[in-house]
Amino acid sequence: MSESPALPVTLDRASPTPLAVQLAEELRAAAGDGRLRSGDRLPSTRALAAQLGVSRTVTAAAYEQLHAEGWITGKHGSGTYVTTAPPGSPSARPKPRPAEPTEVAEVDLRPGSPWASGIDRSAWRRAWRGAADVAPLPRPTRAGVPAYRATVAEHLLRHRGLRVGGDHGGDGGESVLATAGTTAAVAELAASVLSPGDVVAVEEPGYQRAVQTMVAAGLVVVPAPVDADGLLLEAIPDGARAVYCSPAHQYPLGRRMSAARRVALVDRARRDGWLVIEDDYDGELRYDVAPLPLLAALAPDVVVHLGTTSKILTPALGVGWMVAPPPVIAAVLHHRDSTGTSPSAAGQIVVVELARNGDLGRHLRKLRRELSERRGMLVDALTAADVRFLGDDAGAHLVVPLASAEVERAVIEAARARGITLDGLARHHFGPPAWFGIAVGYAACSRPQLRAAIPDLLSLLSRSSDPVGTPSG
Ligand SMILES: Cc1ncc(COP(=O)(O)O)c(C=O)c1O
């Protein structure tokens, strides 16, 4: 084994390609064409960062990516070595691994993506193998696969305290519809229960994919600001037909809707004829905060409850659920039947298998533990650096408020130059932005990436964070 000479790397700071991605590409190319040989020892992430004049986050992210691809080996502290064979031999080429992501070398701290790499691969394989044993279905299942609907009913009871199906004596599945995810469900509601021109109030800031789905369906969207208790009811216009909100963990601000606001919301909904759409996108992820009753538990007659596997498993599965009053269920089923659409059964069967094996429960426990520890790392660091943040002890992101759009943009830019991708609050508005800041997601990256990125994050945020806060915060 030999210590590599100064590494043959040049980085282009003007390029839009993140530095970590460039570095990984350069090292991969050097290993592929023989400039680096199997057994060569690479400098530490710290030494290489100093050599290249970049942050350690960049070198750590590049090494982590190459490690995942099998180009390098070694552990923290004991050296990192090139593992490729000399050029020319067939094994010098990286083995094609089509199912693996190949361009994730930058540290992605945006909210939204789940900890998909945390899914136990043997459990995942077991579920897909089990799903393959299910006989081909002769026709589409408009409401969803019965076993899936029963699995969801059980999941909601166990993890969200929601008893569905009430007194019908069944397994609860009859008041649950399978969906292809939250936004797909919103599109179906817009096309079946609502009509073009109907007014829908949405949280501001809020989940713009759902909002744009409504706009695309011809609904008239009215943004309603949120305060510390949740969506402001007085901002909902007369004549509204529906209200869309995320009470368990307001997206993106990360706070719960208070119990009093929940009760007031469903009371008004009953009085004024609103359909309340409850987006429970990450309701299973709660660490140290007491659960509050779901809107669907308070008022099953006026609430459509939407859940998804996008945050607990992967959005690539395309599987979610809807619990709704009987007329809404009937309207959605009629729409599916008349348009010949229904959510694909394959992902539903995989979820059934995961639950049947006990793997879903194990994964949820592991996910909660991992994300709460990651959150703890981040919260401790922000607290020690005196950086103010918002958000309950829940979910997979928190928010650091900033004073203005310019500061938000500058922080995102500066982070990008250090190989960290951040997400700002401004883009989560339907109208002119009123909240500025960074929504820091801690599920998409790996734990070492998060740990390595925290010093950079702190140095950017502690200079910029907003000590007084943004609207009604
Ligand atoms: C607020 C919110 N709701 C719902 C979802 C999930 O949507 P889907 O089930 O369509 O993937 C997300 C995903 O990012 C989200 O952020």
Side-chain angles (χ1 to χ4, degrees):
M1 292 191 200
S2 58
E3 181 87 31
S4 74
L7 282 177
V9 172
T10 39
L11 299 178
D12 177 3
R13 285 180 166 68
S15 161
T17 306
L19 291 174
V21 176
Q22 292 186 41
L23 178 56
E25 275 169 3
E26 291 266 324
L27 293 177
R28 206 183 284 115
D33 67 15
R35 282 174 292 153
L36 285 174
R37 301 245 167 180
S38 187
D40 278 353
R41 181 178 182 156
L42 293 178
S44 68
T45 52
R46 192 181 301 279
L48 183 58
Q51 178 197 322
L52 298 174
V54 297
S55 118
R56 205 171 144 231
T57 310
V58 170
T59 50
Y63 277 21
E64 177 147 337
Q65 177 66 19
L66 295 173
H67 198 273
E69 292 172 8
W71 287 96
I72 61 177
T73 183
K75 287 221 160 35
H76 209 66
S78 63
T80 302
Y81 297 92
V82 178
T83 57
T84 52
S89 81
S91 56
R93 277 168 192 61
K95 291 196 185 72
R97 295 202 284 172
E100 300 291 338
T102 53
E103 288 179 18
V104 290
E106 92 275 18
V107 182
D108 187 351
L109 296 186
R110 289 171 297 182
S113 302
W115 186 42
S117 62
I119 300 172
D120 179 72
R121 293 297 292 274
S122 38
W124 190 243
R125 270 193 297 275
R126 197 160 40 243
W128 283 89
R129 266 200 305 269
D133 284 340
V134 175
L137 300 173
R139 63 186 69 84
T141 52
R142 301 282 179 225
V145 175
Y148 172 74
R149 297 165 70 201
T151 297
V152 170
E154 168 75 20
H155 176 85
L156 285 169
L157 182 60
R158 192 183 301 188
H159 296 286
R160 304 300 291 125
L162 181 68
R163 186 176 294 281
V164 295
D167 310 322
H168 305 306
D171 56 14
E174 62 273 18
S175 52
V176 175
L177 290 187
T179 69
T182 304
T183 38
V186 169
E188 290 188 308
L189 291 170
S192 57
V193 187
L194 303 170
S195 308
D198 278 355
V199 172
V200 182
V202 301
E203 290 170 331
E204 180 84 331
Y207 183 43
Q208 295 307 302
R209 286 218 166 99
V211 172
Q212 288 307 324
T213 300
M214 295 175 204
V215 170
L219 304 181
V220 176
V221 168
V222 176
V226 293
D227 68 6
D229 285 326
L231 181 118
L232 283 168
L233 303 189
E234 51 273 33
I236 300 174
D238 289 343
R241 263 293 282 132
V243 177
Y244 179 87
C245 55
S246 46
H249 194 224
Q250 202 278 332
Y251 190 84
L253 298 180
R255 301 183 293 205
R256 276 177 308 175
M257 185 182 286
S258 68
R261 187 67 56 84
R262 287 170 195 245
V263 170
L265 171 60
V266 298
D267 281 354
R268 280 284 304 279
R270 282 183 171 135
R271 199 188 75 196
D272 293 350
W274 303 336
L275 189 68
V276 178
I277 303 172
E278 174 175 46
D279 176 359
D280 197 47
Y281 66 106
D282 67 358
E284 297 89 347
L285 306 177
R286 234 183 11 252
Y287 315 124
D288 214 15
V289 281
L292 290 173
L294 295 181
L295 299 179
L298 291 174
D301 49 329
V302 291
V303 175
V304 176
H305 175 90
L306 300 180
T308 179
T309 55
S310 289
K311 305 296 173 177
I312 56 174
L313 292 167
T314 158
L317 213 47
V319 175
W321 52 88
M322 171 190 300
V323 179
V328 173
I329 299 256
V332 171
L333 284 177
H334 176 72
H335 170 72
R336 287 182 181 175
D337 204 33
S338 59
T339 56
T341 53
S342 39
S344 161
Q348 297 170 40
I349 298 172
V350 169
V351 173
V352 171
E353 288 298 309
L354 277 173
R356 201 167 59 83
N357 295 329
D359 289 323
L360 184 60
R362 268 187 290 280
H363 174 66
L364 277 174
R365 285 193 290 281
K366 178 172 130 183
L367 180 64
R368 283 198 201 99
R369 203 168 45 242
E370 175 71 18
L371 293 186
S372 98
E373 285 173 15
R374 290 184 185 201
R375 183 180 184 88
M377 266 165 64
L378 203 50
V379 162
D380 288 350
L382 292 169
T383 307
D386 231 1
V387 176
R388 194 175 76 93
F389 61 90
L390 303 176
D392 286 342
D393 199 0
H397 74 279
L398 54 73
V399 162
V400 175
L402 298 174
S404 67
E406 293 69 39
V407 178
E408 182 184 301
R409 264 197 303 274
V411 168
I412 292 172
E413 273 305 301
R416 184 174 299 134
R418 297 179 189 209
I420 302 173
T421 313
L422 294 180
D423 182 34
L425 289 184
R427 75 179 189 88
H428 295 285
H429 291 74
F430 182 66
W435 287 83
F436 304 104
I438 302 296
V440 185
Y442 43 84
C445 61
S446 70
R447 200 197 271 234
Q449 282 180 320
L450 178 65
R451 190 176 294 112
I454 282 178
D456 275 330
L457 199 59
L458 289 183
S459 85
L460 293 169
L461 292 175
S462 53
R463 273 183 271 129
S464 322
S465 81
D466 176 15
V468 279
T470 1
S472 41

